[in-house]
Amino acid sequence: HLRLANTISEELQYMRTSLLPSLVRNIRENQGKADILRFFEIAKVYYPQEKELPKEIYKVAFATNTSFLDLKGIVEGLLSELRIDPSAGSGQAGYELRSAKIHIFSKNEVVDFVLNGSVFGSIGKLSTQLQHKNNLKTPVYLASFDLISLMSNAKTISQYKPINPYATIKLDLNVNTGKKS
């Protein structure tokens, strides 16, 4: 985190470089109040730059205590609404999933979302060590995405798909009665 030189209070002395710690805190403070917890946050994070003010980047992050697949479904639903499609092959642009190594996540439950060769987000399971350190009773699954990357790759108009000029056959059933005509 970046430390501020002149702060109003000790609670506000650092600028965040990630939204995930606050989401982990929200899960911790709300565990026991509901069986299923799902949170999201959209805010700026700050990255240091030499001899300049910190770089401000908008992020969107998610947290849940359900499962990796549930969080992946939430993320894929968001990407679908933004019309950012998975790689369709045949030269069409789309995102793809790649295995990742991020220190706060369990090594076998973390993936990066990659579009045009660059990572625009990651999802994973909080490591067991951090789960215990934060006094979490259940596993926590987290995702973080660069909001500007999402918005710049979103499509406002869906892809045109022409109507099939031929009649659609929903069921083709042949019955053999055993009689010859």
Side-chain angles (χ1 to χ4, degrees):
H1 296 286
L2 295 172
R3 187 163 193 222
L4 297 172
N6 298 332
T7 65
I8 299 171
S9 72
E10 285 189 33
E11 291 178 4
L12 302 173
Q13 67 180 331
Y14 293 100
M15 299 173 79
R16 309 192 277 188
T17 57
S18 175
L19 301 179
L20 299 180
S22 63
L23 290 172
V24 169
R25 185 184 71 240
N26 289 343
I27 294 279
R28 182 183 62 240
E29 290 174 356
N30 287 284
Q31 64 186 354
K33 296 178 182 174
D35 292 337
I36 295 175
L37 299 171
R38 292 185 181 114
F39 297 100
F40 79 96
E41 182 175 359
I42 299 172
K44 288 181 184 177
V45 295
Y46 304 89
Y47 294 116
Q49 299 186 101
E50 284 190 41
K51 300 180 183 178
E52 291 186 34
L53 291 174
K55 185 175 184 179
E56 299 177 10
I57 299 172
Y58 277 100
K59 295 277 188 172
V60 58
F62 305 91
T64 184
N65 67 346
T66 53
S67 71
F68 183 85
L69 292 177
D70 181 42
L71 182 59
K72 184 174 176 271
I74 291 168
V75 168
E76 287 176 341
L78 171 67
L79 296 175
S80 176
E81 287 294 319
L82 295 173
R83 293 180 180 86
I84 301 173
D85 302 318
S87 292
S90 67
Q92 291 183 343
Y95 71 87
E96 55 185 274
L97 302 177
R98 292 188 188 158
S99 61
K101 292 182 180 178
I102 302 173
H103 70 282
I104 67 166
F105 294 130
S106 296
K107 66 179 179 177
N108 295 329
E109 292 185 78
V110 58
V111 294
D112 282 340
F113 284 71
V114 180
L115 185 62
N116 300 326
S118 54
V119 175
F120 68 97
S122 302
I123 65 172
K125 177 184 173 187
L126 187 67
S127 71
T128 306
Q129 178 184 2
L130 289 174
Q131 178 185 335
H132 294 304
K133 184 177 179 179
N134 285 286
N135 297 319
L136 298 167
K137 297 173 185 169
T138 59
V140 173
Y141 303 89
L142 303 162
S144 180
F145 287 83
D146 181 57
L147 189 60
I148 302 304
S149 292
L150 288 176
M151 299 314 297
S152 63
N153 288 292
K155 299 173 194 84
T156 55
I157 300 174
S158 60
Q159 185 72 24
Y160 172 71
K161 295 179 184 175
I163 297 172
N164 188 348
Y166 306 104
T168 304
I169 299 173
K170 302 248 180 193
L171 177 63
D172 186 8
L173 181 64
N174 292 319
V175 179
N176 185 357
T177 61
K179 296 180 183 179
K180 293 184 179 183
S181 41

